[in-house]
Structures are given as structure tokens and as C-alpha cells.
Amino acid sequence: MTSKAKIPVNRAFEDATLRISIKDIIPLRDVGADVRKYVKYGQIAASIREVGIIEPLVVVRDPNIAGKFRLLDGHLRLDILIAQGASEVVCLIATEFEAFTYNRRISRIATIQEHRMILNAVERGLSEERLARALNVNVTSIRLKRNLLVGICPEVADLLRNRYVAIHAFAELRKLKPMYQIRAAEMMIAMNRFSLGYVKSIVIAAPSDQLVDGKRPPVRGLSNGQIDIMTDETARLDREFKVIEQSYGADHLDLVLALTYVTGLLDNAMVVRHLAQFHADLLQEFQKIAEVQKAA
């Protein structure tokens, strides 16, 4: 049996972090005065002031100046540390310089993930007041996020666990019975809409027997008759959507095959000449289809 040759894998970072003097770190861009006014900047500053640096800066050794480092990730953190009078910071040392910033690989934290992080922090003994200071928000906001899933069925929490949902949307979902909560979450995912306004519209259009208290919330400018029409229309659209959803896979496959076939036809010069001579209108439409295929 012949052994397979091992492919060497380059390390992205050096083995150990390094405490570096801030004056030896060279930023790749400046942090403007307008950026310092952002809420996110204030939250990071409050977090560093309260609990210190959690995520190390990422730097790479400067190839031209010994002992100097170029900053790849952490420009806001470095700016805040300088403003707070720090002289050193712990850094991860990247092995290669990349033209892009590492922040482009970071996804916005999902609402339910943030809720669970806050719960874990509270369980470890961190007070709500200190959490509020660290995140630069008021205590009410921390309590709202801590109690985010109260009244929300587990299936909905699972469906929305990786989505950035408007925090007050969960208060609207609590007005629905568990089975309709699940239906609402599925509608949100299908439409890729997680705003408070959209969830409110689902609640307004929900049948009365699917509401926890059995009563629709009052809606300014809409009569009960108009709301009933919205409910019937929502139910109809939901039924149509489920029918489309059942055949989506097969329809999508047929469409891909058709697009591939048309694109292949246009690669044949004889076919193109024949269409141009006798079916110019069809050729024009086929070319539009081929352009869509290439763009995709």
C-alpha cells in the first residue's frame, strides 16, 4: 500500500500571543472623529474600560522595520486603548500580510446568541449593572435581552437561533400560541424579513383563536372587517406558498437544466446562424436567458 504524501499546511498565526508596545504598532488606516461618535465605538470603549481587551489585536511583523508590526484587525480597539492611556496590548501575530481586514469575515451576532451570552455571564456571577456598563447600554436593555425567550417556544428559538431578529419582535411573537409562533418564524425565514413591523403584521393577521388572549391588538386606521380580510389573504398566501415550496426543488432543477441547454445551443455557431436567419426574435430571447445564466 502506497502512503499518501502529506500536504504541508501553513499556519495562519504564530504559536503564542505577544505583548507589544502600542508605539510599535502601525495602523493601516486612521479612525476618524465621526467614527468615534458611533454607538458601537462607545460600546467597545465601555467594554475595554470595564473588563479589558477580550479579543486580541491581530498584527503582522513589518518586513521592512525590525520590531515594528502592522495592524490587520483592531483599529477601533487600538484607538480606544491610546485614548485610555494604555502603553501595551496583547496581540495575535499573523504569519502573512493580507490586504483585506479580518473584520470582513466577522458576522453580526444573532439576537438569540447574544441572549445566551448574557445568560451565561449572569450565571457566572457578572451583575446586570456591570454588563450594562461593559456594553454601554442601560440595565433595562440587559434585562430585556436576558428575558428574550420567556414565552417563546423552543422550536421558534431553534429556527431563529442564527438570525438577527429585531429584539422587540419577540414581544410580538409572545402574543401568539406556540403552533402559530412556529408558523410565524417559518414565514419570517421564507421572506427573509425579521423586522418588528413585519412580525406585527403577522400578529395582526393571525386568527383570533391563535392569539394567547384571544383578542387582536387594536390597529389604528383599520376596522375589524379590514383586519379579517388581511387574515383571509394571509392564510391564502400561506397555502399558496406551501404549494410552491413543495415543488420548488423539482422546478429549480428543471430551470437549471433548461438554462444549461439554451446556453449550450448558443455555443453552436450553426444553430445561432439558423436562429438569426429564421427566428431572430427567439435568438434575442435565448441570448437574454444566457446572459442571466452567466450573471448567476
Side-chain angles (χ1 to χ4, degrees):
M1 183 182 293
T2 58
S3 60
K4 293 182 179 180
K6 293 183 178 180
I7 301 175
V9 178
N10 295 328
R11 293 180 302 169
F13 300 99
E14 295 182 7
D15 290 332
T17 57
L18 189 65
R19 184 172 290 277
I20 301 173
S21 173
I22 285 178
K23 62 181 177 60
D24 291 329
I25 300 175
I26 305 169
L28 298 182
R29 57 181 173 82
D30 294 328
V31 176
D34 56 335
V35 174
R36 297 188 182 101
K37 298 176 183 177
Y38 291 166
V39 172
K40 190 66 177 178
Y41 185 95
Q43 290 178 333
I44 296 171
S47 175
I48 291 174
R49 183 170 55 251
E50 190 66 27
V51 297
I53 287 286
I54 297 173
E55 185 180 357
L57 277 63
V58 179
V59 299
V60 66
R61 297 182 186 276
D62 192 308
N64 302 318
I65 309 174
K68 296 290 184 180
F69 300 83
R70 297 184 185 182
L71 181 63
L72 298 180
D73 176 60
H75 286 76
L76 296 186
R77 278 166 279 160
L78 180 64
D79 188 75
I80 290 165
L81 286 168
I82 293 172
Q84 293 181 357
S87 59
E88 293 181 330
V89 62
V90 174
C91 300
L92 280 171
I93 314 299
T95 56
E96 293 183 7
F97 176 80
E98 294 286 354
F100 58 84
T101 66
Y102 283 75
N103 279 332
R104 293 182 186 175
R105 293 183 173 181
I106 299 173
S107 299
R108 195 178 189 184
I109 187 170
T111 309
I112 290 177
Q113 291 174 354
E114 184 180 18
H115 153 77
R116 287 172 177 158
M117 287 173 60
I118 289 173
L119 280 185
N120 290 335
V122 171
E123 288 173 0
R124 291 198 302 268
L126 196 62
S127 69
E128 293 176 349
E129 291 74 15
R130 190 176 181 190
L131 269 174
R133 290 196 300 270
L135 297 175
N136 199 34
V137 296
N138 58 43
V139 175
T140 303
S141 176
I142 293 296
R143 289 172 182 164
L144 182 64
K145 292 176 181 178
R146 185 194 65 190
N147 299 321
L148 187 76
L149 298 182
V150 174
I152 302 296
C153 69
E155 292 82 359
V156 170
D158 186 59
L159 284 169
L160 300 178
R161 68 185 184 279
N162 295 322
R163 312 284 179 165
Y164 187 80
V165 184
I167 190 167
H168 292 287
F170 289 92
E172 293 296 318
L173 288 173
R174 290 189 196 103
K175 298 175 182 177
L176 302 171
K177 292 182 178 179
M179 290 305 297
Y180 210 86
Q181 280 187 17
I182 296 171
R183 186 174 174 182
E186 290 173 342
M187 291 169 65
M188 292 161 66
I189 292 169
M191 300 301 294
N192 195 30
R193 296 184 64 184
F194 306 95
S195 66
L196 174 60
Y198 183 64
V199 179
K200 278 186 174 182
S201 70
I202 293 175
V203 174
I204 291 169
S208 298
D209 61 356
Q210 295 300 321
L211 296 170
V212 172
D213 60 5
K215 297 179 181 179
R216 289 200 190 100
V219 183
R220 184 181 300 175
L222 289 178
S223 66
N224 289 335
Q226 289 172 319
I227 294 176
D228 288 337
I229 293 172
M230 284 180 59
T231 301
D232 293 340
E233 184 67 14
T234 300
R236 184 185 65 79
L237 290 173
D238 189 47
R239 288 193 298 270
E240 291 179 357
F241 175 79
K242 289 185 181 300
V243 171
I244 294 171
E245 189 178 35
Q246 290 173 359
S247 62
Y248 174 79
D251 292 344
H252 186 264
L253 177 60
D254 290 343
L255 180 60
V256 170
L257 291 174
L259 286 172
T260 303
Y261 178 73
V262 169
T263 304
L265 283 179
L266 296 182
D267 288 337
N268 187 313
M270 292 179 63
V271 171
V272 172
R273 283 197 299 271
H274 176 81
L275 289 174
Q277 185 174 358
F278 299 104
H279 305 284
D281 53 339
L282 283 179
L283 176 61
Q284 185 177 7
E285 295 301 320
F286 284 172
Q287 287 172 335
K288 290 179 182 178
I289 293 172
E291 288 173 4
V292 170
Q293 172 77 340
K294 291 176 182 177

